[in-house]
Amino acid sequence: MEILIKLLIAHFLGDFILQTNTFIKQKEKHQLRSYHLYVHAVIHALLSWILLWDLKYWYVALIILVTHFLIDTGKLYFTTKKNSRWLFTIDQIAHILILIVLATNTSGINFIIKEQFLQILWPLILCVLFLASPVAVMLKIFFTRWTLTEDDTGIYGLKNAGKWIGMLERLLIFLFIITDHFSAVGLLLTAKSVFRFGDLSKAKNMKLTEYVLIGTLLSFGIAILTGLLFKNYMI
């Protein structure tokens, strides 16, 4: 599991944290002619090797480099406006399946953990990274099926404020779950509902209400599930 966790950390760092919108747009525009595609694959390979930190397992990084490049290339050439959500999901599943196969078959790696906090560190980093960026991207792609404009809501907010609020609330919920403060999750949900009530009452139609409810439930649900999985892993 430790090998898989480290490979997943490398994947989330490479695909969500270190990959900028410029990288994505350049890949989509130029496809195989874009050097961003090749740099992106190399970054994934380097991150994987650095986290595994053993020269004799260079082949793991090489396999990740080649497979990531091939999967991303296929996604670039087959993506359309209609299937972008599905291809994003398939793309992530394919990457993660390869990491699982690599972690399962790399039996020679034997990491000796002497301190208890190191056993917690890697899965904790994985969960925080997952809740901070990948979940935000996943929710953004999920909501592309609906269009919600300022004219629909009559409300004008700060740019990207919703993204940061969602990230902070997921991390807080994760912290509450792993520290057994389940009641605090309810308090956070109540506080958000109170602050959002004014916005919802100003909306011109039901779009904003439904949008906020779906987003909140999905965000809270993913954070709670991640916290429970972390707790179960550490038992």
Side-chain angles (χ1 to χ4, degrees), residues 23-36:
F23 255 67
I24 297 172
K25 290 178 180 178
Q26 288 297 317
K27 288 195 303 179
E28 292 174 347
K29 181 178 180 180
H30 301 291
Q31 298 177 328
L32 281 174
R33 292 181 289 108
S34 173
Y35 74 88
H36 296 82

Side-chain angles (χ1 to χ4, degrees), residues 96-137:
I96 292 173
L97 284 176
I98 288 171
L99 298 183
I100 292 173
V101 171
L102 284 172
T104 303
N105 290 280
T106 310
S107 57
I109 298 178
N110 182 25
F111 292 96
I112 301 174
I113 302 175
K114 296 181 180 181
E115 300 294 337
Q116 182 65 30
F117 80 92
L118 288 178
Q119 298 179 4
I120 302 174
L121 179 63
W122 292 115
L124 182 63
I125 291 174
L126 172 62
C127 291
V128 171
L129 282 175
F130 174 68
L131 292 173
S133 185
V135 173
V137 175

Side-chain angles (χ1 to χ4, degrees), residues 61-126:
L62 179 60
I63 292 173
I64 289 174
L65 187 152
V66 174
T67 56
H68 202 98
F69 172 79
L70 292 175
I71 292 171
D72 277 17
T73 301
K75 179 187 174 186
L76 289 175
Y77 279 92
F78 288 103
T79 297
T80 64
K81 290 183 178 180
K82 292 184 178 180
N83 67 11
S84 59
R85 289 191 301 271
W86 293 107
L87 275 184
F88 170 81
T89 303
I90 293 170
D91 170 83
Q92 291 300 312
I93 291 174
H95 289 313
I96 292 173
L97 284 176
I98 288 171
L99 298 183
I100 292 173
V101 171
L102 284 172
T104 303
N105 290 280
T106 310
S107 57
I109 298 178
N110 182 25
F111 292 96
I112 301 174
I113 302 175
K114 296 181 180 181
E115 300 294 337
Q116 182 65 30
F117 80 92
L118 288 178
Q119 298 179 4
I120 302 174
L121 179 63
W122 292 115
L124 182 63
I125 291 174
L126 172 62

Side-chain angles (χ1 to χ4, degrees), residues 21-213:
N21 288 330
T22 301
F23 255 67
I24 297 172
K25 290 178 180 178
Q26 288 297 317
K27 288 195 303 179
E28 292 174 347
K29 181 178 180 180
H30 301 291
Q31 298 177 328
L32 281 174
R33 292 181 289 108
S34 173
Y35 74 88
H36 296 82
L37 175 62
Y38 303 92
V39 171
H40 179 64
V42 171
I43 288 174
H44 273 274
L46 287 175
L47 286 171
S48 301
W49 178 77
I50 289 171
L51 288 177
L52 293 179
W53 201 247
D54 198 323
L55 278 174
K56 65 180 179 180
Y57 298 110
W58 57 269
Y59 65 90
V60 174
L62 179 60
I63 292 173
I64 289 174
L65 187 152
V66 174
T67 56
H68 202 98
F69 172 79
L70 292 175
I71 292 171
D72 277 17
T73 301
K75 179 187 174 186
L76 289 175
Y77 279 92
F78 288 103
T79 297
T80 64
K81 290 183 178 180
K82 292 184 178 180
N83 67 11
S84 59
R85 289 191 301 271
W86 293 107
L87 275 184
F88 170 81
T89 303
I90 293 170
D91 170 83
Q92 291 300 312
I93 291 174
H95 289 313
I96 292 173
L97 284 176
I98 288 171
L99 298 183
I100 292 173
V101 171
L102 284 172
T104 303
N105 290 280
T106 310
S107 57
I109 298 178
N110 182 25
F111 292 96
I112 301 174
I113 302 175
K114 296 181 180 181
E115 300 294 337
Q116 182 65 30
F117 80 92
L118 288 178
Q119 298 179 4
I120 302 174
L121 179 63
W122 292 115
L124 182 63
I125 291 174
L126 172 62
C127 291
V128 171
L129 282 175
F130 174 68
L131 292 173
S133 185
V135 173
V137 175
M138 294 172 188
L139 290 176
K140 181 179 179 180
I141 291 175
F142 173 78
F143 279 106
T144 56
R145 65 179 62 194
W146 298 298
T147 302
L148 191 64
T149 65
E150 290 175 342
D151 292 333
D152 291 322
T153 63
I155 298 168
Y156 303 89
L158 297 174
K159 185 178 180 180
N160 294 325
K163 173 184 175 181
W164 288 101
I165 291 171
M167 180 182 70
L168 290 172
E169 73 182 17
R170 286 190 296 273
L171 292 176
L172 284 173
I173 291 169
F174 175 74
L175 177 63
F176 295 151
I177 295 296
I178 65 175
T179 56
D180 292 324
H181 291 86
F182 295 96
S183 58
V185 178
L187 292 175
L188 181 61
L189 180 59
T190 302
K192 182 175 182 179
S193 300
V194 170
F195 282 111
R196 277 293 193 176
F197 179 78
D199 293 342
L200 298 179
S201 64
K202 295 176 185 177
K204 295 180 180 179
N205 50 47
M206 288 295 293
K207 283 186 178 181
L208 179 62
T209 304
E210 294 170 344
Y211 192 91
V212 170
L213 285 174

